[in-house]
Amino acid sequence: MVGVDHLDSPVTVQIDAYTLTEYVPAKPLESNLEIVFSNTEQTSITPQPDPCGQLNCGSALKFPFARADSAPVAVLIADAKELVAADVSTATKRVVEITLDTGSLGALDYDPGDTVGILSSNPPQTVALILQRLNLSQQADSNCYASLALNCAKKSAKVPAHIPALTTPREILTYCVSLRSVLQKQFLSALASCTSDLKERSFLASLSSKQGSAHYQTLILERGLCLLDLLELCSSCQPTLALLVEHLPRLLPRPYSIANSPLEGSDQLRIIYSIRADKPGVTTSMLETMVEQHQEQKKPVQLYIYPRVQNTFRYTDEELEGNQILIAVGTGLAPFLGFLAHKQLCRQLATGQTWLYAGAKTPQAMLKHEQLLSWQKSSIIQRLRLCYSRSSMNDQPKYVQQLLEQDAEQLVELLQQPTTVLYVCADGAQISKSINESLRCCLQQVLNLNEAEATQQLKDFRAQGKYREDIWL
Ligand SMILES: Cc1cc2nc3c(=O)[nH]c(=O)nc-3n(C[C@H](O)[C@H](O)[C@H](O)COP(=O)(O)OP(=O)(O)OC[C@H]3O[C@@H](n4cnc5c(N)ncnc54)[C@H](O)[C@@H]3O)c2cc1C
């Protein structure tokens, strides 16, 4: 039995129990690259985000959904505060609000609802562990480059665009490749061929086979074992850096919603993130470390962000004059805090109704609860409906879907007004689907429609830009 305990919760796997006696391993991935060390001297490339690996890749590397001519830029963390404390008893995630000093971005033109991409990095301890396994600790900061292997026969083989032309092993593993991606069977088979211990090799090969699909489903897809876990489970597995560079996917930036109004003050953006206690994600872990460093105040802490292209999930001057129905679950309230702050600052122009339906685990987990009540009091919000899924009061609605159905009559009436826009923001596709279902039920009930007609009505609303959604996957 081997225990895996890196940054995630400990995973214990008895590898024999997941090794078949008869199987045909998947065809291993080819190895078309090699890593060439250009000299043995240490470089000045440091393991912290300055410079940030993927920024060294030149203009050929695009950042997903980046606005035209907007490369990622370093911004400083100006402030950080905990909005919600983690609570295991109610499965409440810790939520933190960070204020970024964005002076370096120049005049950033944005509306509430817009998002920025944050460049992610893998934790230094994890990178150090992998370097050690790859037997590269001594060369971690030496200059190297990836090139096609001399014997490479595959015509389409190429060096991935997210690897800088001149780099170091540490830079590649910190900023360029995803160490937590779902491992494909062929990759597992390639890992098996880099494993000397017979038991471990059989485990990986068996997991890669068609016959081992049930185990692959359990360990890789359901329990989420990633490269790090497998390296820990299989101590004799020693892949090459070239194999990892070629087959691990790019470490992608993650989108975050801007949670303030552009009118609140120049050069500042607020971002709100939640972090899982049991299995913290890569970017949220990075942000947590940065927040700690900021609070220790030893040196300014910077991260790289870029403005993403705008879409219709926005609250612009046009929407100010209309009505909004805002539906949020959990941290999904973040963009709406920006909408509401903006409405407050544009009071004269904001003539419409704003109804907010928000759900959280508990009242303590509701983002900016006091602020919401104050906005209700000052009529920024005309209708505020809150619910708590872990509430012990059985007669109270627990989910926003119930709140919507309770208000069906008036909700549909408001929704039908030409200037009303409905926005849904939830951290999960399942919740958004379920909200869609509740809205369909409201339409059916109030307008006497059948299921197909109500479904079509919602589709039409989406097509008309009356029903806008941000789904955080
Ligand atoms: C348009 C858009 C706007 C977004 N805005 C925000 C925002 O304002 N605030 C915000 O916190 N997130 C937001 N997200 C989600 C965010 O981009 C990340 O997906 C999230 O922070 C987890 O990133 P990670 O790198 O830490 O997790 P990963 O390492 O990518 O984690 C792997 C998986 O674990 C799960 N996971 C990890 N952390 C969490 C978490 N805290 N909650 C739920 N599941 C989790 C997810 O399924 C994730 O795919 C937004 C997403 C989109 C698409």
Side-chain angles (χ1 to χ4, degrees):
M1 179 126 60
V2 189
V4 175
D5 186 4
H6 47 85
L7 298 170
D8 295 345
S9 54
V11 176
T12 311
V13 176
Q14 187 149 20
I15 63 172
D16 295 346
Y18 292 92
T19 308
L20 302 174
T21 44
E22 284 185 32
Y23 57 85
V24 182
K27 187 169 170 263
L29 286 169
E30 294 169 38
S31 206
N32 300 298
L33 295 187
E34 60 187 12
I35 300 292
V36 182
F37 284 90
S38 49
N39 60 45
T40 51
E41 283 171 33
Q42 304 284 298
T43 68
S44 59
I45 294 175
T46 61
Q48 284 306 307
D50 191 18
C52 188
Q54 295 189 31
L55 290 176
N56 301 332
C57 292
S59 56
L61 185 69
K62 302 291 174 224
F63 288 89
F65 299 99
R67 290 194 203 170
D69 304 323
S70 288
V73 169
V75 297
L76 291 176
I77 295 185
D79 193 21
K81 53 174 180 272
E82 181 177 83
L83 297 185
V84 177
D87 176 11
V88 185
S89 67
T90 56
T92 298
K93 287 180 271 187
R94 171 173 139 94
V95 181
V96 179
E97 177 182 69
I98 50 177
T99 305
L100 301 174
D101 178 344
T102 54
S104 51
L105 273 176
L108 176 63
D109 183 18
Y110 68 93
D111 292 304
D114 282 346
T115 54
V116 290
I118 295 188
L119 266 55
S120 195
S121 61
N122 293 310
Q125 317 84 292
T126 306
V127 171
L129 279 177
I130 297 191
L131 285 166
Q132 201 179 2
R133 176 61 62 85
L134 268 49
N135 216 359
L136 285 174
S137 300
Q138 298 303 316
Q139 290 169 290
D141 300 306
S142 299
N143 280 333
C144 66
Y145 59 90
S147 69
L148 291 183
L150 282 178
N151 59 355
C152 170
K154 192 174 167 191
K155 281 214 178 96
S156 60
K158 53 180 188 235
V159 176
H162 54 269
I163 305 297
L166 183 63
T167 181
T168 67
R170 197 190 305 279
E171 185 182 47
I172 292 174
L173 294 171
T174 307
Y175 304 115
C176 303
V177 294
S178 167
L179 302 175
R180 295 273 199 92
S181 55
V182 176
L183 299 175
Q184 303 304 315
K185 289 186 172 184
Q186 283 184 297
F187 191 77
L188 293 174
S189 187
L191 288 178
S193 46
C194 314
T195 304
S196 54
D197 178 87
L198 197 59
K199 262 191 184 177
E200 294 172 359
R201 189 162 69 230
S202 305
F203 164 65
L204 291 169
S206 158
L207 208 53
S208 81
S209 69
K210 210 173 176 181
Q211 297 77 5
S213 288
H215 291 158
Y216 179 86
Q217 172 74 25
T218 311
L219 293 182
I220 306 294
L221 302 181
E222 288 164 18
R223 289 182 65 177
L225 262 61
C226 58
L227 177 71
L228 303 171
D229 301 310
L230 293 177
L231 289 183
E232 205 144 330
L233 286 171
C234 304
S235 57
S236 73
C237 175
Q238 198 174 28
T240 61
L241 181 58
L243 183 83
L244 302 189
V245 165
E246 188 171 0
H247 299 297
L248 287 178
R250 175 181 176 189
L251 181 58
L252 285 169
R254 311 292 201 263
Y256 289 86
S257 306
I258 297 173
N260 61 290
S261 158
L263 301 179
E264 276 180 71
S266 57
D267 297 347
Q268 293 225 320
L269 281 189
R270 282 200 302 274
I271 302 292
I272 295 175
Y273 69 86
S274 68
I275 177 144
R276 285 169 59 154
D278 57 335
K279 211 171 180 194
V282 177
T283 318
T284 41
S285 297
M286 175 194 81
L287 292 172
E288 283 288 86
T289 306
M290 289 176 165
V291 163
E292 255 170 51
Q293 289 168 349
H294 169 79
Q295 281 159 350
E296 287 166 8
Q297 299 222 317
K298 291 202 180 118
K299 60 178 175 110
V301 182
Q302 64 178 31
L303 68 156
Y304 282 82
I305 70 166
Y306 62 89
R308 295 183 8 124
V309 285
Q310 298 181 301
N311 57 32
T312 59
F313 196 91
R314 279 193 296 154
Y315 182 63
T316 65
D317 289 351
E318 206 176 305
E319 280 85 32
L320 268 177
E321 292 172 20
N323 307 312
Q324 304 83 40
I325 299 169
L326 312 176
I327 305 172
V329 177
T331 326
L333 192 53
F336 299 145
L337 295 173
F339 284 38
L340 294 161
H342 197 63
K343 181 171 178 184
Q344 185 175 21
L345 292 166
C346 302
R347 236 9 240 274
Q348 309 302 329
L349 301 170
T351 46
Q353 296 261 312
T354 302
W355 293 10
L356 174 65
Y357 294 86
K361 296 256 164 57
T362 60
Q364 297 71 35
M366 181 63 70
L367 305 190
K368 307 223 174 177
H369 198 168
E370 290 300 316
Q371 175 71 76
L372 296 179
L373 296 175
S374 146
W375 275 326
Q376 182 186 29
K377 213 166 163 195
S378 57
S379 296
I380 300 297
I381 301 176
Q382 277 69 34
R383 180 174 292 200
L384 179 64
R385 294 269 193 260
L386 305 177
C387 62
Y388 307 104
S389 59
R390 299 293 173 117
S391 162
S392 52
M393 289 190 278
N394 286 334
D395 54 334
Q396 299 291 315
K398 287 188 173 3
Y399 305 105
V400 285
Q401 295 88 319
Q402 291 168 288
L403 297 176
L404 299 173
E405 287 172 31
Q406 274 187 350
D407 279 3
E409 191 99 16
Q410 292 148 319
L411 189 76
V412 171
E413 194 185 310
L414 184 65
L415 187 56
Q416 284 187 304
Q417 292 185 22
T419 68
T420 302
V421 178
L422 181 138
Y423 297 86
V424 180
C425 187
D427 47 3
Q430 220 31 55
I431 303 177
S432 300
K433 246 192 207 158
S434 159
I435 290 171
N436 185 79
E437 285 305 288
S438 292
L439 291 167
R440 179 182 56 70
C441 291
C442 292
L443 290 176
Q444 273 187 253
Q445 180 197 321
V446 178
L447 303 178
N448 285 324
L449 304 177
N450 64 30
E451 191 178 326
E453 289 165 337
T455 304
Q456 186 57 45
Q457 177 71 268
L458 285 177
K459 267 194 194 156
D460 293 345
F461 284 159
R462 283 174 190 271
Q464 294 156 12
K466 255 181 107 63
Y467 185 162
R468 307 178 189 181
E469 221 174 1
D470 233 4
I471 300 176
W472 302 357
L473 293 177

